[in-house]
Amino acid sequence: EINMKKIIALVAIVAMVAAFSMSVVGKKLPSVGYVLVGPANDGGWSMRHDQGFKALENYGYEVAGVESVVEADSASVFKKLARKHDIVFGTSFGFMEPMVKVAKKNPDTIFMHATGFMGSDNMDNYVCRGYQARYLTGVAAGLLTKTNNIGVIGSHPIPEIVRNINAIALGARSVNPDAKVNVIWINAWFDPPKDTDAAKALYESGNDVLYTTGDIPSVVILAEDKSTPDKPIWSMGNDAPMNSFGPNRIATGVIFNWNLLYKHILDNLAAGKLTMGQRYFWGMKEGCAALSPWGLDVPQEVSNRVDTIKMNWINDMQETDGVHWDDLWPFSGGYNKRDGTHVAAGSIDRHQLETMTYYVEGIVPSFPGE
């Protein structure tokens, strides 16, 4: 009889577990719509976002994206996606205001906007702290340059790109006070002819470390093509690993691992735990921004120096000179603007980073519109 009771209890437990499993498995996961500003195969920004969203399919999420959407036309795309999906992502700064308007009219859909700062009850923002990794690439650039001239192709002069260029200058001049940063703006995210022309112009004017903030590996290809033993040219990748385009003449670069952030947001939404106003601001510690692999020809003393700074930063260690690598570093360390105005250590906040429209000392041209 005792055995019978045990069996009945066991059968009841198994039935409860089965019912619970069926309710969890049977629950429909939220579906995802996303909008890319460039083609999904651009080799940079849009490709990394696309890969991040596609990775969600491994966990059972249904995703659907629209690529190469002009920012001014994005509202109609957001509207269509809002009718079909539980959460809609926009991955470019210029999508911000159109998304705010669409979010207001679709209160039952969650909206997420990359790199911006405007939100609402059903709209939040997210960004990876790319400037952290940019600073580290700047340290490498300052050590590698022989001409003390570092060239940057600027995409659009929005605060995110401006602070990235400023971080490069601060990193380079932390190890090489004579380093100067030259910028050519092309006012485009994805424009291969303009990007390539700007890369050539920077090379021809004596810059021997080249960056792009656009979405193609133009500078990596050029450095591999034009570098000679007596006049070495280095390049820095952007958004995605670009080593395959110039394995010998790439130094490193910034890469984004959006998949980590997207899974975090979707898992919270699926569990009913997603709250608005998080304004996700992940960086190197969370793995959202990182350095791409070192190029084949980078001297070991350069990679060692940068990797030491990176690990001290990630592990919250003090540098030997007393610098504390906090989340707003390098801007929290104090610096001079290009016009000579001093920004005191510890005085900068996130809002000031998000609205940054000036150059720091060491950047040669005047700021656009000045």
Side-chain angles (χ1 to χ4, degrees), residues 332-350:
S332 57
Y335 55 89
N336 290 331
K337 295 183 182 180
R338 187 179 174 277
D339 65 8
T341 310
H342 183 65
V343 177
S347 67
I348 199 105
D349 60 22
R350 180 177 170 183

Side-chain angles (χ1 to χ4, degrees), residues 152 154-158 161-162 165 183-187 213 359 367-368:
V152 182
S155 47
H156 287 279
I158 62 168
I161 302 300
V162 172
I165 295 171
V183 187
I184 295 177
W185 292 99
I186 62 171
N187 296 304
T213 60
Y359 284 150
F367 192 79

Side-chain angles (χ1 to χ4, degrees), residues 189-210:
W189 296 119
F190 183 79
D191 190 327
K194 271 190 186 174
D195 215 306
T196 303
D197 286 348
K200 283 179 187 164
L202 288 167
Y203 159 70
E204 285 164 4
S205 57
N207 297 282
D208 63 350
V209 183
L210 303 176

Side-chain angles (χ1 to χ4, degrees), residues 35-337:
V35 182
L36 306 176
V37 72
N41 64 350
D42 66 359
W45 176 262
S46 290
M47 181 185 81
R48 286 304 272 184
H49 280 287
D50 190 63
Q51 290 170 342
F53 289 117
K54 296 269 175 65
L56 292 171
E57 294 176 336
N58 299 328
Y59 305 97
Y61 294 105
E62 176 200 323
V63 302
V66 184
E67 59 185 309
S68 299
V69 173
V70 178
E71 290 166 334
D73 301 335
S74 59
S76 61
V77 182
F78 291 138
K79 278 181 202 165
K80 282 179 191 166
L81 291 173
R83 288 199 288 268
K84 298 178 187 173
H85 301 286
D86 303 297
I87 185 167
V88 175
F89 290 81
T91 62
S92 188
F93 184 80
F95 291 156
M96 180 169 63
E97 291 187 22
M99 182 177 268
V100 169
K101 289 172 186 167
V102 175
K104 211 173 272 184
K105 292 179 179 172
N106 293 272
D108 296 332
T109 304
I110 300 292
F111 292 85
M112 289 278 168
H113 177 253
T115 74
F117 51 85
M118 294 169 76
S120 65
D121 290 344
N122 62 321
M123 177 177 164
D124 209 342
N125 315 102
Y126 65 97
V127 69
C128 285
R129 294 190 186 98
Y131 61 84
Q132 295 183 327
R134 292 281 184 196
Y135 174 80
L136 294 175
T137 69
V139 173
L143 296 170
L144 289 168
T145 180
K146 298 278 192 283
T147 66
N148 290 331
N149 280 292
I150 296 161
V152 182
I153 301 169
S155 47
H156 287 279
I158 62 168
E160 184 201 9
I161 302 300
V162 172
R163 69 175 176 259
N164 283 339
I165 295 171
N166 285 339
I168 291 166
L170 291 171
R173 289 166 69 85
S174 73
V175 293
N176 179 354
D178 296 325
K180 297 185 289 295
V181 173
N182 301 283
V183 187
I184 295 177
W185 292 99
I186 62 171
N187 296 304
W189 296 119
F190 183 79
D191 190 327
K194 271 190 186 174
D195 215 306
T196 303
D197 286 348
K200 283 179 187 164
L202 288 167
Y203 159 70
E204 285 164 4
S205 57
N207 297 282
D208 63 350
V209 183
L210 303 176
Y211 286 79
T212 183
T213 60
D215 299 341
I216 66 165
S218 54
V219 294
V220 183
I221 294 164
L222 181 140
E224 188 83 5
D225 184 43
K226 300 287 189 186
S227 188
T228 61
D230 58 324
K231 281 192 175 179
I233 308 295
W234 292 99
S235 63
M236 297 285 180
N238 188 37
D239 301 331
M242 292 181 171
N243 300 55
S244 61
F245 295 97
N248 302 294
R249 302 316 306 166
I250 193 170
T252 178
V254 178
I255 59 171
F256 291 111
N257 299 309
W258 298 107
N259 53 307
L260 302 175
L261 182 52
Y262 289 152
K263 186 173 185 300
H264 175 81
I265 291 170
L266 263 295
D267 287 351
N268 274 311
L269 179 59
K273 294 177 181 173
L274 188 71
T275 53
M276 292 293 101
Q278 296 298 301
R279 304 205 57 231
Y280 300 94
F281 198 42
W282 286 19
M284 290 195 306
K285 285 177 195 171
E286 297 87 354
C288 200
L291 289 179
S292 60
W294 289 101
L296 299 176
D297 290 351
V298 176
Q300 195 164 0
E301 61 267 24
V302 173
S303 57
N304 283 352
R305 188 152 177 193
V306 173
D307 285 340
T308 300
I309 295 171
K310 180 180 78 173
M311 291 317 296
N312 284 345
W313 197 344
I314 290 172
N315 296 328
D316 283 326
M317 290 169 64
Q318 295 277 330
E319 260 285 75
T320 48
D321 59 2
V323 170
H324 183 68
W325 309 105
D326 61 20
D327 287 339
L328 300 182
W329 186 269
F331 300 101
S332 57
Y335 55 89
N336 290 331
K337 295 183 182 180

